[in-house]
Amino acid sequence: MDTKKGCVLNVLLFGFGAVIGTGLTAVAAVVLFLPAVDTVSTDEGTPNVYVKERSRLVGGTEHEVWLGRGEDHGHVVEVPGGWGADPEVVRQEGGVELRFDGGGRIFVPEADYLGGR
């Protein structure tokens, strides 16, 4: 076999392998680290309250509460780990209080979710 043909073939195969390897690494990174977001519950009122679950293959599950006009537009409140995903929503003068089963409470003032946020 001609050594020049073998050398060119090795370089082409190396380049092809590098491109395929880079593509597979990018796909694996997206699958492992890109979160899946699902709306767990909705409490309509002023403001609407949406509890969302954000899960990753690597990194576990986190919960957040969105207060605002729509499911994808509003003020985001991160829920501390272990507090659960089912807060009691208490609308009161000056804001909204989120009460969790374990005794945790988060108060969100009106200024955080009113005015187009």
Side-chain angles (χ1 to χ4, degrees):
M1 182 171 183
D2 188 14
T3 52
K4 286 186 179 185
K5 286 184 183 179
C7 183
V8 171
L9 181 62
N10 283 340
V11 169
L12 289 175
L13 287 175
F14 178 79
F16 180 72
V19 169
I20 296 297
T22 302
L24 289 175
T25 301
V27 169
V30 167
V31 168
L32 290 174
F33 298 108
L34 189 67
V37 179
D38 295 315
T39 301
V40 178
S41 66
T42 301
D43 186 328
E44 293 190 12
T46 304
N48 293 329
V49 178
Y50 305 96
V51 178
K52 295 187 178 189
E53 183 175 84
R54 182 178 301 271
S55 58
R56 294 182 176 100
L57 195 56
V58 173
T61 302
E62 300 169 348
H63 294 95
E64 55 192 25
V65 177
W66 288 53
L67 298 110
R69 293 178 289 194
E71 189 173 331
D72 59 350
H73 183 81
H75 179 73
V76 180
V77 177
E78 292 184 25
V79 177
W83 281 27
D86 191 27
E88 175 187 355
V89 178
V90 180
R91 291 175 181 84
Q92 47 190 285
E93 190 172 325
V96 173
E97 185 175 36
L98 306 170
R99 298 177 182 170
F100 295 85
D101 290 339
R105 294 175 185 239
I106 299 173
F107 181 78
V108 183
E110 283 182 339
D112 287 350
Y113 58 81
L114 289 180
R117 288 187 176 181

